[in-house]
Coordinates of all heavy atoms in Angstrom, one line a residue:
C39 N -14.0 7.9 -3.5 CA -14.0 8.8 -4.7 C -15.0 8.2 -5.7 O -15.8 9.0 -6.3 CB -12.6 8.8 -5.4 SG -11.3 9.5 -4.4
D40 N -15.0 6.9 -5.9 CA -15.9 6.3 -6.9 C -17.4 6.4 -6.5 O -18.2 6.3 -7.3 CB -15.6 4.8 -7.0 CG -14.2 4.6 -7.7 OD1 -13.7 5.5 -8.3 OD2 -13.7 3.4 -7.6
S41 N -17.6 6.6 -5.1 CA -19.0 6.7 -4.7 C -19.7 8.0 -5.2 O -20.9 8.2 -5.2 CB -19.1 6.7 -3.2 OG -18.7 7.9 -2.6
G42 N -18.8 9.0 -5.6 CA -19.4 10.2 -6.2 C -19.8 11.2 -5.1 O -20.4 12.2 -5.4
S43 N -19.5 10.9 -3.8 CA -19.9 11.8 -2.7 C -19.1 13.1 -2.7 O -18.1 13.1 -3.4 CB -19.7 11.1 -1.3 OG -18.3 10.9 -1.1
Q44 N -19.6 14.1 -2.0 CA -18.9 15.4 -2.0 C -17.5 15.1 -1.3 O -16.5 15.6 -1.9 CB -19.7 16.4 -1.1 CG -19.1 17.8 -1.1 CD -18.7 18.4 -2.4 OE1 -19.5 18.2 -3.4 NE2 -17.6 19.1 -2.5
L45 N -17.4 14.3 -0.3 CA -16.2 14.0 0.4 C -15.2 13.3 -0.7 O -14.0 13.6 -0.7 CB -16.4 13.1 1.6 CG -15.1 12.6 2.3 CD1 -14.4 13.7 2.9 CD2 -15.5 11.5 3.4
G46 N -15.8 12.4 -1.4 CA -15.0 11.7 -2.5 C -14.4 12.6 -3.5 O -13.3 12.5 -3.9
K47 N -15.2 13.7 -3.9 CA -14.7 14.6 -4.8 C -13.5 15.4 -4.3 O -12.5 15.7 -4.9 CB -15.8 15.6 -5.2 CG -16.8 15.0 -6.2 CD -17.9 15.9 -6.6 CE -19.0 15.1 -7.3 NZ -20.3 15.7 -7.1
E48 N -13.6 15.7 -3.0 CA -12.5 16.5 -2.3 C -11.3 15.6 -2.2 O -10.2 16.1 -2.4 CB -13.0 17.0 -0.9 CG -14.0 18.1 -1.0 CD -14.8 18.4 0.2 OE1 -14.3 18.1 1.3 OE2 -15.9 19.0 0.1
I49 N -11.5 14.3 -1.9 CA -10.4 13.4 -1.7 C -9.7 13.3 -3.1 O -8.5 13.2 -3.2 CB -10.9 12.0 -1.2 CG1 -11.4 12.1 0.2 CG2 -9.8 11.0 -1.3 CD1 -12.0 10.9 0.8
Q50 N -10.5 13.1 -4.1 CA -9.9 12.9 -5.5 C -9.0 14.0 -5.9 O -7.9 13.8 -6.5 CB -11.1 12.8 -6.5 CG -10.6 12.4 -7.9 CD -10.2 10.9 -8.0 OE1 -11.0 10.0 -7.9 NE2 -8.9 10.7 -8.1
I51 N -9.3 15.3 -5.6 CA -8.5 16.4 -5.9 C -7.1 16.2 -5.2 O -6.0 16.4 -5.9 CB -9.1 17.7 -5.5 CG1 -10.4 17.9 -6.4 CG2 -8.2 18.9 -5.7 CD1 -11.3 19.1 -5.9
I52 N -7.1 15.8 -4.0 CA -5.9 15.7 -3.2 C -5.1 14.5 -3.8 O -3.8 14.6 -4.0 CB -6.2 15.4 -1.7 CG1 -6.9 16.6 -1.1 CG2 -4.9 15.1 -0.9 CD1 -7.5 16.4 0.3
M53 N -5.7 13.4 -4.1 CA -5.0 12.2 -4.6 C -4.5 12.5 -6.0 O -3.4 12.1 -6.3 CB -6.0 11.0 -4.6 CG -6.3 10.5 -3.3 SD -7.5 9.1 -3.3 CE -6.5 7.7 -3.8
N54 N -5.2 13.2 -6.8 CA -4.7 13.5 -8.1 C -3.4 14.3 -8.1 O -2.5 14.2 -8.9 CB -5.7 14.3 -9.0 CG -6.9 13.4 -9.4 OD1 -6.8 12.2 -9.3 ND2 -7.9 14.1 -10.0
K55 N -3.3 15.1 -7.0 CA -2.0 15.9 -6.9 C -0.9 15.1 -6.3 O 0.2 15.5 -6.3 CB -2.3 17.2 -6.0 CG -3.1 18.3 -6.7 CD -2.9 19.6 -6.0 CE -4.0 19.6 -4.9 NZ -4.1 20.9 -4.2
G56 N -1.3 14.0 -5.7 CA -0.2 13.1 -5.1 C 0.1 13.6 -3.6 O 1.0 13.2 -3.0
D57 N -0.8 14.4 -3.1 CA -0.6 14.8 -1.7 C -1.3 13.8 -0.7 O -2.1 13.0 -1.2 CB -1.3 16.2 -1.4 CG -0.5 17.3 -2.0 OD1 0.8 17.2 -2.2 OD2 -1.1 18.3 -2.4
L58 N -1.0 13.9 0.6 CA -1.7 13.0 1.5 C -3.0 13.7 2.0 O -3.1 14.9 2.1 CB -0.8 12.8 2.8 CG 0.5 12.1 2.6 CD1 1.2 11.9 3.9 CD2 0.3 10.7 1.9
V59 N -4.1 12.9 2.2 CA -5.3 13.4 2.7 C -5.0 13.7 4.2 O -4.0 13.3 4.8 CB -6.5 12.5 2.6 CG1 -6.7 12.1 1.1 CG2 -6.4 11.2 3.4
S60 N -6.0 14.4 4.9 CA -5.7 14.8 6.3 C -5.6 13.6 7.2 O -6.2 12.6 7.0 CB -6.8 15.8 6.8 OG -7.9 15.0 7.1
D61 N -4.7 13.7 8.2 CA -4.5 12.6 9.2 C -5.9 12.3 9.8 O -6.2 11.1 10.0 CB -3.5 13.0 10.2 CG -2.1 13.1 9.7 OD1 -1.9 12.7 8.5 OD2 -1.2 13.6 10.4
D62 N -6.7 13.3 10.1 CA -8.0 13.1 10.8 C -8.9 12.2 10.0 O -9.5 11.3 10.6 CB -8.7 14.5 11.0 CG -8.0 15.3 12.1 OD1 -7.1 14.8 12.8 OD2 -8.4 16.5 12.2
L63 N -8.9 12.5 8.7 CA -9.8 11.7 7.9 C -9.4 10.2 7.8 O -10.2 9.3 8.0 CB -9.9 12.3 6.5 CG -10.6 11.5 5.4 CD1 -12.1 11.3 5.8 CD2 -10.5 12.1 4.0
I64 N -8.1 10.0 7.5 CA -7.6 8.6 7.3 C -7.7 7.9 8.6 O -8.0 6.7 8.6 CB -6.2 8.6 6.6 CG1 -5.9 7.2 6.1 CG2 -5.1 9.1 7.5 CD1 -6.7 6.9 4.9
V65 N -7.4 8.6 9.7 CA -7.4 7.9 11.0 C -8.8 7.4 11.3 O -9.1 6.3 11.8 CB -6.9 8.9 12.1 CG1 -7.4 8.4 13.5 CG2 -5.4 9.0 12.0
L66 N -9.8 8.2 11.0 CA -11.2 7.9 11.2 C -11.6 6.6 10.5 O -12.2 5.7 11.0 CB -12.1 9.0 10.7 CG -13.5 9.1 11.3 CD1 -13.4 9.7 12.7 CD2 -14.4 10.0 10.4
L67 N -11.1 6.5 9.2 CA -11.5 5.3 8.4 C -10.7 4.1 8.9 O -11.3 3.0 9.0 CB -11.1 5.6 6.9 CG -11.8 6.7 6.2 CD1 -11.2 7.1 4.9 CD2 -13.3 6.3 6.0
I68 N -9.5 4.2 9.3 CA -8.7 3.1 9.8 C -9.3 2.6 11.2 O -9.4 1.4 11.5 CB -7.2 3.5 10.0 CG1 -6.6 3.9 8.7 CG2 -6.4 2.4 10.7 CD1 -6.4 2.8 7.7
E69 N -9.7 3.6 12.0 CA -10.2 3.3 13.3 C -11.5 2.4 13.2 O -11.7 1.4 13.9 CB -10.5 4.5 14.1 CG -10.8 4.3 15.6 CD -10.8 5.6 16.4 OE1 -11.1 6.6 15.8 OE2 -10.5 5.5 17.6
K70 N -12.3 2.8 12.2 CA -13.6 2.0 12.0 C -13.2 0.6 11.7 O -13.8 -0.4 12.2 CB -14.3 2.6 10.7 CG -15.4 3.5 11.1 CD -16.2 3.7 9.8 CE -16.9 5.1 9.8 NZ -17.4 5.5 8.5
F71 N -12.2 0.4 10.8 CA -11.8 -1.0 10.4 C -11.3 -1.7 11.6 O -11.7 -2.9 11.8 CB -10.8 -0.9 9.3 CG -10.0 -2.1 9.1 CD1 -10.6 -3.2 8.3 CD2 -8.8 -2.3 9.6 CE1 -9.9 -4.3 8.1 CE2 -8.1 -3.5 9.4 CZ -8.6 -4.5 8.6
L72 N -10.4 -1.1 12.4 CA -9.8 -1.8 13.5 C -10.8 -2.2 14.5 O -10.7 -3.3 15.1 CB -8.7 -0.9 14.1 CG -7.4 -0.7 13.3 CD1 -6.5 0.2 14.1 CD2 -6.7 -2.1 13.0
I73 N -11.8 -1.4 14.8 CA -12.8 -1.7 15.8 C -13.7 -2.8 15.4 O -14.0 -3.7 16.1 CB -13.6 -0.4 16.2 CG1 -12.7 0.6 16.9 CG2 -14.8 -0.7 17.0 CD1 -13.2 1.9 17.2
K74 N -14.0 -2.8 14.0 CA -14.9 -3.8 13.5 C -14.2 -5.2 13.3 O -14.8 -6.2 13.4 CB -15.4 -3.4 12.1 CG -16.8 -2.9 12.2 CD -17.5 -2.8 10.8 CE -16.7 -2.8 9.6 NZ -17.2 -2.1 8.5
N75 N -12.9 -5.1 13.1 CA -12.2 -6.4 12.7 C -12.1 -7.4 13.9 O -11.6 -7.1 15.0 CB -10.7 -6.0 12.3 CG -9.9 -7.2 12.0 OD1 -10.4 -8.1 11.3 ND2 -8.7 -7.3 12.5
D76 N -12.7 -8.6 13.7 CA -12.7 -9.6 14.7 C -11.9 -10.8 14.3 O -12.0 -11.9 14.9 CB -14.1 -9.9 15.1 CG -14.9 -10.4 14.0 OD1 -14.4 -10.5 12.9 OD2 -16.1 -10.7 14.1
S77 N -11.0 -10.6 13.3 CA -10.2 -11.8 12.9 C -9.0 -11.8 13.8 O -8.7 -11.0 14.6 CB -9.7 -11.6 11.4 OG -10.5 -10.9 10.7
N78 N -8.2 -12.8 13.4 CA -7.0 -13.1 14.3 C -5.8 -12.3 13.9 O -4.7 -12.7 14.0 CB -6.7 -14.6 14.0 CG -6.0 -15.2 15.2 OD1 -5.9 -14.6 16.2 ND2 -5.5 -16.4 15.0
G79 N -6.1 -11.1 13.4 CA -5.0 -10.2 12.9 C -5.4 -9.3 11.8 O -6.6 -9.4 11.3
F80 N -4.4 -8.6 11.2 CA -4.7 -7.7 10.1 C -3.4 -7.3 9.4 O -2.4 -7.3 10.1 CB -5.6 -6.5 10.5 CG -4.9 -5.6 11.6 CD1 -3.9 -4.8 11.3 CD2 -5.4 -5.8 12.9 CE1 -3.3 -4.0 12.3 CE2 -4.8 -5.0 13.9 CZ -3.7 -4.1 13.6
I81 N -3.6 -6.8 8.2 CA -2.4 -6.2 7.5 C -2.8 -4.8 7.1 O -3.9 -4.6 6.5 CB -2.0 -7.0 6.2 CG1 -1.7 -8.4 6.6 CG2 -0.9 -6.3 5.5 CD1 -1.4 -9.3 5.3
L82 N -2.0 -3.8 7.5 CA -2.3 -2.4 7.1 C -1.3 -2.1 6.0 O -0.1 -2.2 6.1 CB -2.2 -1.4 8.2 CG -3.2 -1.5 9.4 CD1 -2.9 -0.5 10.4 CD2 -4.6 -1.4 8.8
D83 N -1.9 -1.7 4.8 CA -1.1 -1.3 3.7 C -1.3 0.1 3.3 O -2.4 0.5 2.9 CB -1.5 -2.3 2.5 CG -1.1 -1.8 1.1 OD1 -0.1 -1.0 1.1 OD2 -1.7 -2.2 0.1
G84 N -0.3 1.0 3.5 CA -0.4 2.4 3.2 C -0.7 3.3 4.4 O -0.8 4.5 4.2
F85 N -0.9 2.7 5.5 CA -1.1 3.4 6.7 C -0.3 2.8 7.8 O -0.3 1.6 8.0 CB -2.6 3.4 7.1 CG -2.9 4.1 8.4 CD1 -3.2 5.4 8.4 CD2 -2.8 3.5 9.7 CE1 -3.4 6.1 9.6 CE2 -3.0 4.2 10.9 CZ -3.3 5.5 10.8
P86 N 0.4 3.5 8.6 CA 0.6 5.0 8.7 C 1.5 5.5 7.5 O 2.3 4.8 7.0 CB 1.2 5.3 10.0 CG 2.0 4.0 10.3 CD 1.2 2.9 9.7
R87 N 1.4 6.8 7.2 CA 2.1 7.4 6.2 C 3.0 8.5 6.7 O 3.8 9.2 6.0 CB 1.2 8.1 5.2 CG 0.7 7.5 3.9 CD 1.6 6.8 3.0 NE 1.3 7.0 1.6 CZ 0.5 6.2 0.9 NH1 0.0 5.1 1.5 NH2 0.2 6.4 -0.3
N88 N 2.9 8.8 8.0 CA 3.8 9.8 8.6 C 3.9 9.5 10.1 O 3.1 8.7 10.6 CB 3.3 11.3 8.4 CG 1.9 11.5 8.8 OD1 1.5 10.9 9.8 ND2 1.2 12.3 8.1
I89 N 4.8 10.2 10.8 CA 5.0 9.9 12.2 C 3.8 10.2 13.1 O 3.4 9.4 14.0 CB 6.2 10.8 12.8 CG1 7.5 10.4 12.0 CG2 6.4 10.6 14.3 CD1 8.2 9.1 12.4

Side-chain angles (χ1 to χ4, degrees):
C39 295
D40 292 344
S41 77
S43 68
Q44 184 53 37
L45 176 64
K47 284 180 191 149
E48 287 162 25
I49 293 174
Q50 188 72 71
I51 294 170
I52 299 169
M53 287 176 79
N54 286 353
K55 281 197 277 186
D57 287 332
L58 295 182
V59 306
S60 78
D61 290 350
D62 289 349
L63 171 64
I64 196 71
V65 161
L66 202 77
L67 297 169
I68 300 287
E69 193 168 27
K70 261 194 209 164
F71 165 82
L72 288 178
I73 290 171
K74 255 196 345 211
N75 178 44
D76 55 4
S77 330
N78 208 8
F80 56 78
I81 301 174
L82 292 181
D83 161 24
F85 179 90
R87 265 313 215 268
N88 57 35
I89 299 281

